[in-house]
Amino acid sequence: MGRKDKGEQPDPAPYGEQCKYDPSFRGPIRQRSCTDIICCILFVVFLAGYIVVGILAWLYGDPRQVIYPRNSTGSYCGIGGNRGKPYVLYFDLLQCVTSLNILATAMNGLQCPTTQICVASCPDAFWVVPPMGLLPGTKPADVLNQAWCEPSLNLSLTTLTVSQILSRELCPRYTIATTPIFNRCFPDFNTPAMDNFSLPNRTPNETKQLISSGAQQIVKSLNAKDIGTKIFEDFAGSWSWILIGLLIAMVLSLLFLLLLRLVAGVLVWVLILGVLAVGAYGIYHCWREYSALRTAGATISNIGFTTNLSVYSSVQETWLAALIILAVVEGVLLLLLIFLRKRILIAIALIQESSRAIGYMMSTLFYPLVTFLLLLICVAYWAMTALYLATSGTPLYRVTSSNSSDPRCSGILGNDTCNPMTFNASRYLPCPAAGCTFHTYDAEGLFQRNLFNLQIYNALGLLWGANFALALGQCVLAGAFAAYYWARDKPRDIPPCALGGALLRTLRYHTGSLAFGALILTIVQLIRILLEYLDHKLKEPRTPSHAVCSAVSNAASGAWRNSSNSSTGTPTSMIAIYGKNSARPPRTPSQLLMRNIIRVVVLDKVTDLLLFFGKLLVVRGASGSSGSSSSRAGSRSPTPSSARPPSSTTTGCPSWYTVVVGAYLIAQGFFSVYSMCVDTLFLCFLEDLERNDGSVEKQYYMSSSLMKLLNKKNKKAETK
């Protein structure tokens, strides 16, 4: 490594011997064998099982459940015979109130035992059947509205009287102003006329309370659905905004990489000086506040001890302490900048060299599109499988009576199952209003009882597949960039298809190693997700078990970060260069890095700072754009406060979180080009320093700018 600065390198004994000169080494080796074959077989078997789960979900699931509502006979509204009628109209909301209707109680509030039909638009007026309309001889067509009646009933041709039609609940006794929410006609409580509307034998206030209770019962039945179903209801209405957000993330990632290609060095110095400038402004602000409070005589002795922490911002001691802390931090940063300026320059030179490498191999800049496609396939397959799993189950029907107050229907308790295709109402005579009503979905089958386990398998497939896709991209890029560095004469000696060759080598020899590393990372991520879930559940009240769970969760978070670092970057680069399996590479590069620990830390922090701002830009831009668009879309049909579900998930949050996570994964995939380029070139640079010394036989492969920074040069062969 040339001249060693005092204290720069530790004793090399604990960290292995330096790399030896090998005249045959010219970058990624060609003669290699398959690695981690057992894990490769395990990964293939897992994928086969994942495909089987997807097929079973497709066979049993019905995503129409989360897109279209059902009427009381179980038919979907908006498709098939009900095309053009997307909304469900409830004839009598009072029958939904469990305290008034024994049938609603018997059905556990999962279904309202009143006739529900599909309509093209929701009623917008208050109306009650007038007493004169119930007189004998009155034509039903003169009293009732065909649009709000059962489609099988023709008011102009029927021989039934108005009283018979109402007793069989073929038409509603009343209508109120409603608005479509969740594709169901809910009362519009914002209409002033609601306060003056009353049903027969009830006051306006009592009528409003009962209608509100009925609407709330319907909302509770919607909230009783599986959480996965409710989430995908949100996805079904906002999938276009999710795609827009992910496309914005892809475009922003490409633009940021192009920006790094042009102004990488300038941007690094801008970020470093920006951090120092922010610290300097913080010192100035603290000094100004401290001076003002000292002049006013505001000290901590004037307020004493209080639990209101905001009060401490009004005393001079707080700002003095902040001033001292910021000054110390700023001083440390300035000293680091002064004493590590050479290593910072080396880091910037490596980043600029990475930009040149990407410029010579422009195909690497577009390889993240492959990673993006793989991640999109993983997310899409997971989402569709989860959707079909959440909607698996055959519909169940119960025998009900639309007129529960009729004494002749007292024997119908809503407990008997039925089939609407073979239902015979004559079996329940003398009740004239017996019918077969949709109740809920079957959750007792073998497949349905194991839905939770299958969803866990599905989540495991998502994480393992996504981590494998990212690791594959990193290994391929590492192989391509290593071939660039070890090219003697750039760009002439760069392999013509370095990226394609690296891809073929990785898929042929190292699928098992990448699957093994991705599996370790996936297991740690699952444990961390579980611990964070438990931590969230145990937050209130705070218990000893919560403290233990929080400690374990924090430890798992650290393990996850360490696993992320150890399963990517350096080991992946060594797999791509030397062709060793996942168990062997970490030792050699770790020793190499420990022998150059200061350079590692400086380069790592500078690169992390650069890419952190890039990821922040991508995620913020994608989530902000899609979030504002989806909120504008959602504002077109606001939910009245009186009928809004208290825990509804249809607020855009699942879609927004999906965009945030998807944008981060996309940014991670794209920025892995730059990150892997820097990591790979840095490893090659360190090996170059140890293997070669600039002599005629051991020429350096590094660029002239790096040799200039290190005061090194290649000797030329003497000509005779």
Side-chain angles (χ1 to χ4, degrees), residues 5-21:
D5 296 336
K6 186 176 182 180
E8 177 182 347
Q9 295 182 356
D11 183 8
Y15 307 111
E17 299 294 332
Q18 293 190 359
C19 300
K20 303 299 183 181
Y21 172 70

Side-chain angles (χ1 to χ4, degrees), residues 125-288:
F126 294 90
W127 170 84
V128 180
V129 174
M132 300 295 295
L134 300 176
L135 296 177
T138 304
K139 295 181 179 181
D142 296 337
V143 180
L144 305 174
N145 189 338
Q146 181 69 58
W148 315 131
C149 295
E150 282 275 10
S152 59
L153 176 67
N154 190 323
L155 294 178
S156 301
L157 302 178
T158 184
T159 58
L160 299 175
T161 64
V162 174
S163 298
Q164 291 174 330
I165 292 174
L166 296 180
S167 64
R168 299 181 182 182
E169 210 173 60
L170 299 176
C171 293
R173 294 176 177 272
Y174 64 92
T175 62
I176 59 177
T178 56
T179 183
I181 302 172
F182 310 135
N183 283 357
R184 294 164 176 82
C185 297
F186 275 91
D188 187 359
F189 292 95
N190 296 325
T191 303
M194 175 65 77
D195 297 330
N196 301 321
F197 176 71
S198 63
L199 294 174
N201 302 322
R202 299 187 186 276
T203 63
N205 186 45
E206 185 181 7
T207 299
K208 184 177 180 179
Q209 290 181 353
L210 290 175
I211 291 176
S212 177
S213 298
Q216 287 288 350
Q217 189 59 48
I218 296 175
V219 168
K220 290 180 180 179
S221 69
L222 295 177
N223 282 339
K225 293 194 299 183
D226 182 77
I227 183 65
T229 303
K230 293 193 290 182
I231 289 176
F232 284 104
E233 283 179 351
D234 180 77
F235 287 164
S238 57
W239 63 269
S240 58
W241 301 117
I242 295 177
L243 291 181
I244 290 175
L246 297 181
L247 288 175
I248 291 174
M250 183 182 68
V251 172
L252 290 177
S253 298
L254 282 173
L255 290 178
F256 190 79
L257 287 179
L258 291 175
L259 179 64
L260 290 182
R261 170 72 178 91
L262 300 175
V263 292
V266 175
L267 192 57
V268 169
W269 281 114
V270 168
L271 291 176
I272 293 175
L273 296 178
V275 172
L276 293 175
V278 170
Y281 175 77
I283 293 174
Y284 165 73
H285 180 74
C286 291
W287 170 255
R288 188 177 60 181

Side-chain angles (χ1 to χ4, degrees), residues 51-64:
I51 294 174
V52 171
V53 171
I55 294 175
L56 291 176
W58 181 77
L59 291 175
Y60 286 94
D62 186 2
R64 293 179 300 176

Side-chain angles (χ1 to χ4, degrees), residues 389-464:
L389 287 175
T391 57
S392 63
T394 57
L396 297 178
Y397 299 85
R398 295 282 182 87
V399 179
T400 61
S401 170
S402 57
N403 188 0
S404 58
S405 61
D406 192 333
R408 294 173 295 178
C409 301
S410 59
I412 299 179
L413 302 177
N415 296 325
D416 298 334
T417 59
C418 58
N419 187 337
M421 303 300 297
T422 60
F423 179 72
N424 186 3
S426 61
R427 293 179 52 191
Y428 298 92
L429 291 176
C431 179
C436 188
T437 303
F438 168 74
H439 177 230
T440 184
Y441 294 96
D442 181 21
E444 299 299 326
L446 176 63
F447 183 79
Q448 286 72 30
R449 290 198 302 268
N450 291 278
L451 285 181
F452 179 78
N453 297 330
L454 293 176
Q455 290 285 20
I456 294 296
Y457 191 95
N458 187 32
L460 179 63
L462 170 66
L463 294 177
W464 198 357

Side-chain angles (χ1 to χ4, degrees), residues 361-367 473 476-481 483 495-505:
M361 296 185 295
M362 289 298 293
S363 58
T364 59
L365 190 61
F366 296 97
Y367 181 82
V476 171
L477 291 171
F481 291 128
C497 296
L499 185 66
L503 177 60
L504 293 177
R505 285 196 307 270

